[in-house]
Structure formats: C-alpha cells, structure tokens
C-alpha cells in the first residue's frame, strides 16, 4: 500500500467531488503466508456513517505519523481540498518512502518516559483481540466479541453475494468445503415460514435474529466493584501466595539489600516465580468472577424486565435511557461520539469530515503521564500485574494526567471461583 488513490466522484457516492480508496495487499493469509500472489482488497470512503468509514481512520493515523510524502499536506483540510485534474483519471496521495514498510497499527511499549507507541513493532493479534473483547463488553454484548467473530460474519455475508470462487478468495480458503464445515451459520438465513405460506419474505427480521446485538445490554457489569476486588484480595489462596512473596522479598532484601541487586541468584528466581504465581491467581479470580457475574446477569435480566413491566413499575431500561448521560473526559471524544454516528446532508459532509478527522488526529496524539503507585501491598499487587490501559473507553482518565504530544501517542494453579459467591461478588441488579 503506497498511497491513497483519489478519484473523481461518480453517482455512487454522495461525499463531495472526489472519493478516496485504498488497496490493501494481504500476504499473510492462513495456510499460505508469503506464498504466491497476495490477495488485494479495495476499501473506500463511506458516504453515510463516518464511524464505518475506514479511510478517515487511516488518514488520522497517517497525520499522527506525519506519513505523507508531500510536505504541503499539513492538516486534514488539505486532503479534502484536492481535486483530480481533467487530464487525469486519478492522483495518488503517496506515503513517504521510509513509512511504506512501517506497521500502521503498532503496539504500546513501556519506556523510561512511560507507555509509548512503538515506532516499528506491529500490534500483536492477541492484544488486538483482547482490546476488542473489552470494547464489546463495554458495549453490552453478552458474548465475547473477537476478531474471529468479524471474520465469520464477513464469511456469511459474502456467501449471499459472491460465488464460491470469490468467497474462497476473500477468506483465503483453498476449497469451498472449509466454509461449509467451519464458517456457515447454523441458523437458516431464509424465511422458510413465509416461503411455505406463500407470503412476502421477512428476511430482514430473520437476519436480525442472528445478530450478536440481539442480547446486547449496556447495563451488564463490565468490571468488578471495589468490594468484589477486595473479596479477591482476601481469598485464602491469594493471601497465602502474597505471604510467600512477602517472605521471599524480606529474605532477598536481607541478603542483597535491594531486590534488583539479587538478580541471577536462586533466591531472586524463587521470588520471581512467586510474584508470577500471585499475579496469575489474581488475574484468574478477577476474570472468572466477572464472567460468572455477567453470565448470571444475562440469564436473569429478561425475567426481571418482564416482572417489572407486569407489576406496572417503570422499566429499568426506560429509566436508564432517561438518566444515563455518558461523560467523556475529552471534548474531542464528546464531539466524535455525536459526529461519527449521525447521517449528514450534502452541505455538511465536507466540513464534518474535516472536523472528525481533526478530532481523530488529536486523540491519536494523547499521551498519559506515569501514574503514582499506591502504597498498600494488595493495591500494589493489582497495579503491578495490570496491563497499560491502551484506550480508556468510558473517559476513565483524569484530563490533568494527559499531555498533548504530536510525536508520541498512547493508545496508554487455578482456584474455584464459586467460593466467591455470596462474599461481596453479588450480581448487580437491573433495577
């Protein structure tokens, strides 16, 4: 991908005089990594909902990375002022030569200055998958949203519009049987009832039934409360492991003075293993407890809703809709929450795109300052094992702890979980 072709607009798009597209060569297909010719996908600007426009998101990263070959492109407005000359069918908005082999999506790394976006290390699949799961949880999905969900969703959508050969090319499959065995939805996608009765098909209804958003509920728990975390901190196994770590820490300090000075010794190795075991146990208990809470919530919430309505009490969802106001930390995020998810008329399209792109670029350049460590040992255990928060979803950063920076961006043995039940890890009620 060496640039963005800019074409003169035609009747298919309502976004202005020109339209940008992008060709993406995929060479790391499953089963044939770097083998044969790459599969090339073409993506384009979306002319209705900017949240689903891939081009504007790529442009934001390009501006944040200063990736444009032309030095005259310095602000988002410059992009949308370009025109295709009458003697050409298109022009290429090219990247700098040194940017062409640089990963577009890069991982966050720990540095002496805090969490920073790496200049050359690609974002790992597992990290992206974990972030997507967290995003889906915050959005209220009952099932985990993963990259495979997106792939499987694409497979079933294109199955209705593409030939077998085209579908195999899109998915990188060598034969049609792979889709039929592993990807084809078990839910029949046709309105068999209407077909049998000779009635007009309700295909849109059938499709809605199969969507993950069918059971989405933003009231579902997304994180453990302080009380639930405190319960985990007092779990017998955690207390035991913390005591073992503390004893090894004291012994190591008595021998070496400082923990870091004992590196390479058998005692330091035992201390490291004890620290990892404690972190693993805490993470397991946090994850399994939250999964249990969410499972019970989605199991009970519909019956609670029915009971509330039939006892003539206001629906909890209605009350939530009236009282819930999302407070974003940053003004740019507040504006994006509105602009990304609204349709635009013809006169507002161009200016709206510029404003959205400017806000996206600003968010790409946010950098979080190092956080102060809390001093109680149980809190330190949780802090030491926590991964950097790469994208605060619900405005959970203090604006005073953030700096603007144009050059560096922050994206910022198991136990039985049932023992936690009834000890502070109760299901939050949807009342």
């Amino acid at each position: 991908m060496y640039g963005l072709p800019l074409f003169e607009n035609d009747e298919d798009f309502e976004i202005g005089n020109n339209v940008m597209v992008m060709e993406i060569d995929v060479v790391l297909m499953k089963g044939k990594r770097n083998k044969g010719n790459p599969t090339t996908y073409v993506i384009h600007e979306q002319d209705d909902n900017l949240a689903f426009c891939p081009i504007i998101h790529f442009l934001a990263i390009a501006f944040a990375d200063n990736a444009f070959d032309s030095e005259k492109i310095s602000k988002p407005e410059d992009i949308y002022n370009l025109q295709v000359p009458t003697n050409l069918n298109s022009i290429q908005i090219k990247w700098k030569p040194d940017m062409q082999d640089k990963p577009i999506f890069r991982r966050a790394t720990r540095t002496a200055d805090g969490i920073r976006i790496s200049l050359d290390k690609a974002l790992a699949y597992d990290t992206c998958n974990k972030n997507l799961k967290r995003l889906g949880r915050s959005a209220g999905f009952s099932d985990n949203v993963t990259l495979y969900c997106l792939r499987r969703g694409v497979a079933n959508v294109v199955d209705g519009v593409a030939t077998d050969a085209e579908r195999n090319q899109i998915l990188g499959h060598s034969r049609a049987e792979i889709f039929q065995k592993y990807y084809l939805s078990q839910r029949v996608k046709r309105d068999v009832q209407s077909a049998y009765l000779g009635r007009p098909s309700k295909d849109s209804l059938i499709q809605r039934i199969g969507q993950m958003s069918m059971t989405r509920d933003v009231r579902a728990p997304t994180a453990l409360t302080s009380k639930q975390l405190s319960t985990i901190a007092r779990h017998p196994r955690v207390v035991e492991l913390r005591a073992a770590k503390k004893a090894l820490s004291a012994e190591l300090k008595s021998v070496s003075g400082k923990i870091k000075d004992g590196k390479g010794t058998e005692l330091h190795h035992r201390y490291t293993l004890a620290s990892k075991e404690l972190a693993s146990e805490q993470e397991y208990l946090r994850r399994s407890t939250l999964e249990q809470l969410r499972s019970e919530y989605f199991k009970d919430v519909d019956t609670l809703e029915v009971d509330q309505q039939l006892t003539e009490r206001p629906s909890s969802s209605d009350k939530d809709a009236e009282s819930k106001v999302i407070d974003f930390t940053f003004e740019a995020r507040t504006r994006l929450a509105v602009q990304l998810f609204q349709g635009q008329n013809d006169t507002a399209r161009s200016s709206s795109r510029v404003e959205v792109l400017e806000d996206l670029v600003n968010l790409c350049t946010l950098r979080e300052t190092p956080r102060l460590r809390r001093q109680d040992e149980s809190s330190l255990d949780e802090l030491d094992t926590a991964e950097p928060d790469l994208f605060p979803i619900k405005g959970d950063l203090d604006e005073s702890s953030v700096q603007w920076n144009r050059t560096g961006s922050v994206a910022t043995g198991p136990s039985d979980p049932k023992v936690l039940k009834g000890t502070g890890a109760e299901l939050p009620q949807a009342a």
Side-chain angles (χ1 to χ4, degrees):
M1 185 177 66
Y2 301 107
L4 287 170
L6 181 69
F7 288 93
E8 188 174 359
N9 198 359
D10 56 28
E11 67 278 4
D12 291 335
F13 290 87
E14 300 177 358
I15 57 178
N17 296 327
N18 302 292
V19 58
M20 279 176 280
V21 301
M22 181 182 292
E23 291 185 310
I24 301 176
D25 293 338
V26 179
V27 297
L28 301 179
M29 282 285 198
K30 183 178 179 181
K32 52 178 183 178
R33 298 172 68 87
N34 290 311
K35 296 179 181 178
N37 296 324
T39 300
T40 301
Y41 296 84
V42 178
I43 60 176
H44 53 76
E45 289 184 279
Q46 197 71 23
D47 58 357
D48 50 3
N49 194 320
L50 293 182
F52 301 113
C53 177
I55 300 296
I56 201 168
H57 294 285
F58 275 105
L59 285 174
I61 298 174
F63 273 107
D65 284 342
N66 192 23
F68 297 103
D69 192 37
S70 172
E71 297 180 357
K72 300 297 183 181
I73 299 177
S74 60
K75 56 185 182 300
E77 188 176 359
D78 295 334
I79 290 289
Y80 295 106
N81 284 336
L82 295 174
Q83 301 292 329
V84 179
T86 56
N87 61 318
L88 295 175
N89 292 324
S90 68
I91 58 174
Q92 290 272 344
I93 304 173
K94 294 189 175 182
W95 313 129
K96 292 178 179 178
D98 61 340
M99 297 296 297
Q100 293 176 5
D101 292 326
K102 179 174 291 190
I104 296 175
F105 306 110
R106 303 189 296 277
R107 68 184 65 182
T109 57
R110 295 186 184 274
T111 70
D113 297 323
I115 305 299
R116 297 292 179 265
I117 294 297
S118 171
L119 296 177
D120 54 7
K121 294 182 179 179
L123 179 67
Y125 177 92
D126 287 342
T127 302
C128 184
N129 214 33
K130 182 177 180 180
N131 292 344
L132 185 58
K133 286 181 181 179
R134 179 183 166 215
L135 183 61
R137 181 174 294 168
S138 294
F141 287 94
S142 58
D143 297 317
N144 284 331
V145 181
T146 65
L147 292 171
Y148 184 76
C149 291
L150 303 182
R151 176 174 170 82
R152 195 167 184 268
V154 168
N156 280 275
V157 169
V158 300
D159 181 52
V161 298
T163 65
D164 286 354
E166 290 170 334
R167 189 191 62 222
N168 290 343
Q169 179 190 33
I170 292 169
L171 298 175
H173 290 165
S174 58
R175 59 189 187 280
E177 290 78 9
I178 298 176
F179 169 80
Q180 296 167 359
K181 185 175 182 180
Y182 299 107
Y183 288 82
L184 182 62
S185 174
Q186 298 304 304
R187 183 177 284 104
V188 177
K189 294 185 287 187
R190 301 300 178 188
D191 186 0
V192 179
Q193 173 183 330
S194 295
Y196 181 80
L197 296 175
R199 300 290 191 270
S201 178
K202 302 291 192 299
D203 287 339
S204 61
L205 175 63
I206 302 301
Q207 292 174 6
R208 286 174 57 191
I209 294 296
Q211 294 176 349
M212 292 182 66
S213 58
M214 182 76 176
T215 57
R216 191 173 74 89
D217 188 343
V218 295
R219 299 167 299 171
T222 61
L224 298 180
T225 65
S226 298
K227 183 179 180 181
Q228 292 159 353
L229 289 172
S230 178
T231 300
I232 291 176
R234 297 192 303 271
H235 188 277
R237 180 58 176 162
V238 172
V239 172
E240 177 187 350
L241 292 173
R242 186 182 293 116
K245 175 186 174 181
K246 188 174 182 179
L248 288 169
S249 173
E251 184 178 357
L252 188 57
K253 289 178 180 178
S254 67
V255 174
S256 303
K258 296 181 179 180
I259 292 178
K260 64 179 182 179
D261 293 336
K263 287 185 177 180
T265 65
E266 174 62 24
L267 186 57
H268 188 276
H269 178 66
R270 289 165 54 200
Y271 170 80
T272 302
L273 291 179
S275 300
K276 290 182 177 180
E277 188 174 4
L278 173 60
S280 176
E281 184 68 17
Q282 288 177 315
E283 175 59 25
Y284 170 79
L285 289 173
R286 285 193 289 260
R287 184 177 64 252
S288 58
T289 302
L290 181 58
E291 289 176 352
Q292 179 184 348
L293 289 174
R294 287 175 57 81
S295 176
E296 293 182 5
Y297 177 89
F298 283 106
K299 177 173 65 69
D300 297 337
V301 68
D302 293 305
T303 301
L304 285 171
E305 200 67 49
V306 170
D307 291 347
Q308 287 176 347
Q309 293 187 29
L310 294 182
T311 54
E312 298 183 352
R313 287 184 294 171
S315 170
S316 61
S317 59
D318 291 340
K319 290 194 299 181
D320 289 347
E322 294 176 0
S323 61
K324 188 172 184 179
V325 177
I326 299 177
D327 184 22
F328 295 100
T329 302
F330 307 111
E331 291 183 6
R333 191 183 289 274
T334 302
R335 290 191 296 269
L336 285 172
V338 176
Q339 292 179 316
L340 283 176
F341 298 95
Q342 67 179 4
Q344 297 129 12
N345 57 42
D346 293 341
T347 58
R349 290 184 197 279
S350 179
S351 60
S352 177
R353 284 178 177 271
V354 172
E355 293 168 2
V356 167
L357 185 51
E358 288 175 345
D359 285 336
L360 286 172
V361 174
N362 285 338
L363 288 180
C364 283
T365 57
L366 281 178
R367 184 178 66 182
E368 184 183 1
T369 57
R371 299 181 183 181
L372 295 176
R373 289 173 175 261
R374 293 169 290 182
Q375 295 304 311
D376 61 286
E377 187 169 0
S378 62
S379 297
L380 281 175
D381 286 332
E382 294 177 7
L383 183 63
D384 290 340
T385 60
E387 294 188 0
D389 189 1
L390 305 187
F391 57 105
I393 293 175
K394 293 186 176 179
D396 52 359
L397 283 181
D398 182 355
E399 189 157 8
S400 63
S401 71
V402 177
Q403 302 171 351
W404 290 102
N405 177 24
R406 292 291 298 179
T407 59
S409 58
V410 147
T412 55
S415 301
D416 185 358
K418 293 181 180 179
V419 299
L420 297 172
K421 195 169 184 178
T423 57
E426 293 85 9
L427 172 69
Q429 295 298 316

